[in-house]
Amino acid sequence: MIASHQPGCYGAAGLIDRRVFVCRSPNRKIHCALHRLAGKRMVPRASSLLTVLLLLIRVAAAAPVPEDFPRFLVPGHEQDMETLRELFWLHYVPARPLSTLWDGWLPMASLWPATEANVADQANRQRWRAALLARKIDAEGYVSTHQHRGLAHNDGWPFPLWSQVGGRGWHFSLAGQPYGPQFNIHQTGNTDGWEFHGAADRGIDPAQGWNLELTAADASITTPEFNANSYVAPFIRIGWQAAGLSVSDQPSLEWTTAEQPEFSRERRVFFSPPTEADGMTFTHVPLYRHPQWQGTLTRLRLNFGNAKPGAKLTLKSFITAVDSRHNINNSFFIQGSSDYFRWSGDIGFLRENIQRMRMALRYAMNEFRTRENLCVTTPWVGHDGTSGLVIGTDGKKTVRHGRGIGNNYWDLLPFGGKDCLATIYYFDAVRRMAELERQIAAHPQWNIPGGPLPFDAEDLAGHAQEVKDHAGRLFWNATTGRFVAAVDGEGAVHDYGFTFVNCEAIYYDFATEEQARSILDWLCGRRTIAGDTSQGEDIYHWRFGPRSTTLRNVEYYTSVWSNPESIPWGGQVQDGGAVLGFSYHDLMARLKTTGADDAWQRLKAVLAWFREVQHAGGYRAYSSAVDSAAVVP
């Protein structure tokens, strides 16, 4: 049986049979065999998620590959094809829906083996369907990260924590909180220094929080005095639940600063109250949007805006929070939704999700000014692409708290500002939406919702080309012949030989043919770049894929990763390390640029590495003293 190596046709309601791939020509064997290497972090910082994934992988490794898992039949290459099958199976088992961070990679990596007859694979389809339909999109159109709740923006990445950037927080209960004293997070055991107006203190329950009763209308509580730079506190996050507040009540926050020491109605921001049905709610108040949110903060006042007395509240936490949102989420959500539809032909899914996809793209266009700048320009506090570290000419290091906040998988690297990687993903998302809109128009029988949100397919296609033309020049470093990470808010470019940026640029057709050849010549050692730490054959030191970067980086990081020089070159994925999943983009970049034979030789090197790993006992969970003390527990 010969099965298509492409996702299911748009008009298909069912799935093609992908159990057997037969490749009869050299040019097709890579296409067939290389649908997707697993999108996993195989040399990451230690984390509980990594431990779970590795445990699942080891369980998979202990079990034989099921008979109905796809086979790759390439005459004369039976051993390599069986190794490839084992590699895919090993990573297929744990490839379940995770956070939005993976939506651009994992659906394609885990949906391709699905067949109508396989119950387990059908369950996998349903998991992805449910996960994508459940992705939270806020009232403005931002798609939540769906990572665990940290101490930053609740819909963003869990860190940086307020304690790491010089913010301020009160935690009246640490129940369910993964961050504790090791991150200078302690339970607040008393209410010393707090002021009350129309509110009575009913005591602190460490399991629940601080209990309050509102004894008068327009009650309020005011924090003790503190000092924090407003830059590291764009949001105030309130963890609370209430019984007796009405949806018509109007809570608000006020603040004082060193320059403005008295509370004023001019420095007030309103937000919605929690109701009893909401349970524990985490409210984000975007004070950074107020023109007077500046300077050194000294006190905060929480006005409950209650029309009558009697409400009872529990305050779990009251903290300043950095803006840890990811500028790639909306694009990844669109990519993942597109991949699911293309693999499944699930028209009902498209009918339910298309308006959310359209809203996600419109948000990205407006928030990141892509129509104006023809690239993703990140406006959020701490996301201008500048580093959280500055090393002076005298070698002295200055930490700039709250700067360099991550925007994607590479959470210790700033990116941001005019962001190349985010632009590449956006470019792909726009093209996908253009094709979806074409197919929707061509298939009126699908009965897909219209209204004010649909895009004009040709307009989107033209916009994508404009982005490629402009951003492809903006982010191209003519001296090194490769793409940079970002152009930051100060106008500086950041080029550490980011191989993943460049391989993905080729994979998503963002790079021109000339740029693609330049990139592959660098990766393959046909040309060397003066000053790079890794050159020639050493770029593939880890064998399964290129180093993530080829130039030692000890200065371009988020502010909370302030001692990168303490880890040797190659000891971290973002500084000379490597990630197995991104080998896929390397292989596909070769296939597109230098042809199937070159990609096949690279794949054989990956398979030889994997065989050696398996013969040595397989993957191992690991950690180190450095990793265990990192910013992520």
Side-chain angles (χ1 to χ4, degrees):
M1 173 180 289
I2 298 178
S4 168
H5 65 270
Q6 293 295 334
C9 297
Y10 281 105
L15 292 173
I16 58 176
D17 188 336
R18 305 185 190 93
R19 289 171 295 179
V20 181
F21 290 79
V22 181
C23 307
R24 305 195 184 280
S25 72
N27 285 342
R28 287 201 63 205
K29 66 187 176 187
I30 296 296
H31 274 302
C32 293
L34 285 184
H35 244 305
R36 180 71 169 168
L37 286 176
K40 292 291 182 298
R41 201 186 288 209
M42 292 317 303
V43 191
R45 292 178 302 282
S47 69
S48 57
L49 173 61
L50 171 65
T51 302
V52 171
L53 289 174
L54 285 174
L55 285 173
L56 288 170
I57 287 172
R58 294 184 71 180
V59 168
V65 183
E67 283 298 317
D68 61 353
F69 194 70
R71 296 180 181 276
F72 305 93
L73 305 181
V74 182
H77 298 279
E78 288 78 7
Q79 182 186 26
D80 283 330
M81 292 300 98
E82 188 56 32
T83 300
L84 181 66
R85 186 168 180 256
E86 292 175 5
L87 174 63
F88 280 158
W89 168 250
L90 187 61
H91 295 87
Y92 171 73
V93 173
R96 308 289 179 87
L98 299 170
S99 69
T100 309
L101 175 63
W102 308 96
D103 285 354
W105 301 316
L106 283 189
M108 178 173 57
S110 60
L111 288 169
W112 64 273
T115 64
E116 292 291 353
N118 190 308
V119 175
D121 289 339
Q122 291 305 300
N124 188 40
R125 282 180 61 187
Q126 293 306 311
R127 280 191 292 268
W128 272 110
R129 187 184 204 277
L132 291 166
L133 289 175
R135 291 293 185 233
K136 176 185 175 183
I137 303 180
D138 69 19
E140 295 181 346
Y142 168 75
V143 180
S144 172
T145 305
H146 286 278
Q147 188 68 1
H148 71 270
R149 180 176 295 114
L151 296 179
H153 193 290
N154 207 44
D155 291 326
W157 205 233
F159 71 89
L161 317 182
W162 65 260
S163 59
Q164 295 175 313
V165 298
R168 186 66 173 93
W170 293 266
H171 296 270
F172 300 104
S173 172
L174 292 178
Q177 174 57 254
Y179 303 94
Q182 71 272 35
F183 294 100
N184 201 27
I185 302 298
H186 304 275
Q187 182 175 323
T188 302
N190 60 66
T191 57
D192 294 348
W194 286 79
E195 294 180 2
F196 308 85
H197 173 77
D201 180 356
R202 300 306 186 205
I204 297 175
D205 178 355
Q208 300 294 327
W210 181 17
N211 296 310
L212 294 162
E213 183 176 355
L214 306 188
T215 58
D218 292 319
S220 68
I221 57 175
T222 304
T223 70
E225 292 186 2
F226 65 94
N227 288 286
N229 190 326
S230 60
Y231 187 85
V232 304
F235 290 89
I236 301 298
R237 199 182 85 178
I238 309 168
W240 56 341
Q241 57 185 351
L245 286 183
S246 166
V247 292
S248 61
D249 290 334
Q250 300 187 68
S252 63
L253 273 173
E254 297 178 31
W255 62 94
T256 63
T257 67
E259 299 76 18
Q260 300 287 342
E262 300 297 328
F263 286 104
S264 169
R265 295 177 65 88
E266 294 180 358
R267 292 190 302 280
R268 177 181 288 187
V269 172
F270 290 89
F271 48 93
S272 299
T275 65
E276 188 168 4
D278 296 329
M280 182 58 66
T281 300
F282 291 86
T283 300
H284 295 82
V285 187
L287 297 184
Y288 74 96
R289 294 176 178 172
H290 195 287
Q292 293 191 47
W293 183 252
Q294 56 185 317
T296 301
L297 308 175
T298 54
R299 297 193 86 180
L300 296 168
R301 174 171 290 167
L302 174 55
N303 301 306
F304 295 103
N306 54 309
K308 60 183 181 180
K312 295 181 179 180
L313 299 93
T314 300
L315 192 63
K316 182 179 176 69
S317 59
F318 190 76
I319 66 173
T320 63
V322 303
D323 191 342
S324 62
R325 290 176 290 176
H326 278 177
N327 64 7
I328 56 119
N329 284 7
N330 288 47
S331 295
F332 268 27
F333 169 69
I334 293 167
Q335 290 172 309
S337 297
S338 169
D339 277 337
Y340 173 81
F341 177 61
R342 293 171 70 191
W343 280 115
S344 68
D346 187 343
I347 298 171
F349 168 84
L350 184 64
R351 189 177 301 114
E352 289 186 62
N353 206 41
I354 187 63
Q355 299 291 46
R356 289 158 44 83
M357 296 170 68
R358 289 163 171 163
M359 184 176 180
L361 184 56
R362 290 193 182 278
Y363 173 86
M365 286 180 171
N366 293 331
E367 185 76 356
F368 305 133
R369 294 177 288 167
T370 57
R371 290 283 192 179
E372 173 188 350
N373 294 333
L374 298 178
C375 68
V376 169
T377 307
T378 317
W380 303 328
V381 178
H383 292 258
D384 68 352
T386 57
S387 178
L389 312 177
V390 173
I391 300 177
T393 55
D394 59 356
K396 184 178 179 180
K397 182 191 302 178
T398 300
V399 177
R400 302 196 293 181
H401 291 294
R403 292 186 180 272
I405 297 174
N407 290 279
N408 51 50
Y409 171 96
W410 305 89
D411 50 13
L412 300 184
L413 298 174
F415 284 87
K418 291 184 176 180
D419 189 328
C420 181
L421 195 57
T423 299
I424 292 170
Y425 298 147
Y426 171 80
F427 165 75
D428 183 63
V430 170
R431 294 203 306 169
R432 286 170 181 256
M433 282 299 297
E435 182 58 25
L436 271 175
E437 297 288 15
R438 285 194 195 98
Q439 295 299 329
I440 289 169
H443 295 83
Q445 67 272 26
W446 289 355
N447 188 28
I448 304 300
L453 292 179
F455 290 92
D456 178 85
E458 299 314 310
D459 175 66
L460 282 184
H463 173 54
Q465 186 62 48
E466 289 178 332
V467 168
K468 176 177 179 175
D469 293 343
H470 173 78
R473 294 189 300 269
L474 174 68
F475 296 121
W476 185 252
N477 186 336
T479 301
T480 59
R482 62 195 182 197
F483 288 106
V484 304
V487 180
D488 69 27
E490 297 171 353
V493 299
H494 299 277
D495 181 357
Y496 290 90
F498 295 105
T499 62
F500 55 92
V501 172
N502 285 272
C503 287
E504 289 188 78
I506 299 173
Y507 172 72
Y508 290 115
D509 292 326
F510 181 79
T512 65
E513 291 184 10
E514 182 180 1
Q515 289 170 335
R517 287 193 297 271
S518 175
I519 292 166
L520 264 297
D521 284 348
W522 155 53
L523 293 179
C524 296
R526 289 187 286 271
R527 67 182 183 91
T528 58
I529 298 175
D532 268 8
T533 310
S534 178
Q535 299 178 343
E537 292 183 359
D538 183 69
I539 293 176
Y540 287 86
H541 169 79
W542 302 111
R543 298 178 58 196
F544 58 77
R547 294 182 184 271
S548 299
T549 59
T550 59
L551 176 63
R552 176 70 158 145
N553 174 16
V554 296
E555 61 275 320
Y556 188 56
Y557 291 99
T558 181
S559 64
V560 301
W561 192 249
S562 59
N563 196 28
E565 65 274 15
S566 65
I567 299 177
W569 163 251
Q572 287 277 287
V573 288
Q574 71 275 356
D575 188 31
V579 180
L580 173 60
F582 298 134
S583 182
Y584 168 73
H585 300 118
D586 174 36
L587 289 160
M588 295 304 292
R590 290 168 179 268
L591 182 63
K592 287 188 172 189
T593 307
T594 53
D597 289 340
D598 182 37
W600 173 238
Q601 294 304 313
R602 180 90 285 277
L603 175 60
K604 288 203 297 183
V606 175
L607 298 177
W609 164 84
F610 181 68
R611 276 194 295 269
E612 291 182 26
V613 170
Q614 292 298 84
H615 290 161
Y619 299 152
R620 292 290 186 269
Y622 72 94
S623 63
S624 69
V626 172
D627 285 340
S628 63
V631 293
V632 183

